[in-house]
Amino acid sequence: MNRRIVALLPPLIDVLSFCVLFGAGLSLRAANAYALAIGLACSALWRWRTQGKTEAEGRDWLRFGISAVMALFLRAGLLALLAQRWGWAPQLAIFIAVALSAAVSVPTLSWRNLTLGLIVYSFVLRLVYAGSVELLPEETYYWNYSRHLDIGYLDHPPMVAWLIRLGTAVFGQTEFGVRAGALCCGAVTSVFMYRLTRNLFGQTAAFAALLLVQALPFFFLSGLLMTPDAPLTAAWAASLFFLERALIAHQPRAWWLAGVCLGVGMISKYSIALLVPVTLAFMLWDPESRRWWRRSEPYVGALFALLIFSPVLIWNAQHGWISFAFQTSRRLAETPQFALHKLIGSMIVLITPTGVVALVAVLLRRRAGASDASDAARRRRFVGLAVLIPLAVVVAFSLRHEVKLDWTGALMTAALPALACTMIATDATLQGFAGKLRGAWIPTLVIMLLVYGAGLHYLVLGLPGAGYGKHIEVIPVGWRDLSARITDIADTYGRDHGTDLLIVGMDRYAIASELAFYGGAHRAIGLETANSFLFGGMGLMYSLWVPPKAQEHRNLLLVAWSPQELEDKSIAAQVADLGPIVDEVLDRNGVIIRHYYHRLAFDYRPVGTRGE
């Protein structure tokens, strides 16, 4: 029999098996897994018979098994997107899913081809799942930014809102529409990190850096989730590239583009300002760069950055500088606490233990035989300052204050070129350690890609034997169903009583934001929600979007995760009457996720208006 025809038999058997199993009543997840297993068994048998028993041992079979698992996660995401989100018939969607997964199953590869394959897999994995995984509360909160489009906001600059507005204008009010900007920012980050690393350490290191951008946890997630970290990281990478062109390659116009990128970063997240002391320190330390103090280009670049950032300054001036106070004095006024251990833990999470070990090795090693003024020494100095100065600021802050998980993420952009060198290192100065570190990278990154695939599969289709955690604020499973139920209650009340209910989430912003996004999908004109600020909680931007005074005399539907949140005395003091607390269960496919509670509140009266 023709070898090409025989090679097509396993995917064909795979497709037919899925159609039979799904038609017999198995779930999409189960039919997909069993069909893939049957197809892989046929493929493995074919490989064994044609390539011999010696080929059926060792690394080739390990690679075959890993690619099979990767294919499972990729095709599951595509099936969920096409069948569950787009409404395709699963029997039709399986053809595309099998074709895509077949591309993942690859024979023995060179290092370069393996790197390229993992880069493509990581990007496609994000692309496939971006439209089917439910949005995190942070993402729906920033989507609410885009509904109230402005040049500034309390807790962040406006770039995240502008990107979401653009993405939803093109792709609709969908998960993919919200996340399209993050996918684009991830691509921009990849391009500039590749070019920066190629300039600093050569083509091979550039490919390694590209893989790190795609596979390290922080960069994988910042290229998927639409948060301010997505445009921040892209701007950070672009700023570093143009600063290197200006400082190392002596290109005057690069200063202007560096200023533009810095300005874009500043309207994304304020922390990119840490690149300013990096630039100043290099210009002071590096003899060749001191001449820039007497040239106009750096100052023009700084002016460009200031002009791009000026809308945020204007907004803050109009609102009592509340955003700057929120990000500075508020944090400094918090109760002192030692959080360095949390900072180190966050770095381990964001760039993996291998990444942390490689970073320490890079920062501690010394180079011999090169003059301090050589190009190699200048490049190392640039990377070292770009890593150490921002990191030192965050470390110093962590000695007395709480830190957040993502704070060191964008800072590590500058470390990627050096980390990439440890992937290809044959450096004698690291002696035997270099080989061990180099050997740890590919297994680490492959494991991370498997973890991402499993996690995304879990969020969309679940995993056998695994239930769902009740904290859907962290594990986004159930928001669509919860929003549909709450919206139905509000709509039913409106039809029966001729008046709309204002839905109020009694937490910081998660419930209000998610219900606005997913609940609004059930209404032609969208849905306005409020948060616990109406009863004295932290308002964030809801204090400006839904001011209490404007809600006077409205009837409310209060939604909370515990009955105690609905029994607070402040609630009874600000409404004329309260309905009973209703306890309901949120589930998926018969698996309980958590309880939620709601009650009606009539004739809301803001504080200071009682008795008027």
Side-chain angles (χ1 to χ4, degrees), residues 111 115 193 196-198 200-202 204-219 347-365 367 379-380 383-384 387 391 408-427 430 433-434 436-442 444-445:
W111 186 90
T115 300
M193 285 313 305
L196 172 65
T197 307
R198 185 182 60 185
L200 291 171
F201 303 120
T204 304
F207 269 104
L210 193 57
L211 176 56
L212 292 176
V213 170
Q214 294 297 320
L216 286 178
F218 172 80
F219 297 96
M347 292 182 62
I348 293 173
V349 170
L350 295 178
I351 63 172
T352 74
T354 302
V356 172
V357 171
L359 179 62
V360 173
V362 165
L363 295 177
L364 292 182
R365 67 177 165 176
R367 295 276 186 171
R379 290 194 295 268
R380 291 195 304 273
V383 172
V387 174
L391 187 58
T408 56
L411 312 185
M412 291 298 103
T413 306
L416 291 180
L419 296 183
C421 289
T422 68
M423 295 182 66
I424 61 173
T426 56
D427 192 342
L430 291 179
F433 181 70
K436 294 179 181 179
L437 187 57
R438 179 182 182 183
W441 268 119
I442 291 299
T444 296
L445 299 180

Side-chain angles (χ1 to χ4, degrees), residues 81 85-86 127 129-133 135 139 142-143 146 160-184 224-226 517-518:
L81 178 66
R85 303 299 297 153
W86 292 5
L127 186 66
Y129 279 97
S132 51
V133 174
L135 297 176
E139 293 178 284
Y142 301 133
W143 169 79
S146 73
V160 65
W162 298 349
L163 289 175
I164 292 175
R165 185 64 170 264
L166 178 60
T168 52
V170 175
F171 299 105
Q173 302 295 331
T174 62
E175 290 92 345
F176 189 84
V178 172
R179 291 174 173 146
L183 292 169
C184 292
L224 171 64
L225 305 177
M226 192 64 251
F517 182 83
Y518 288 109

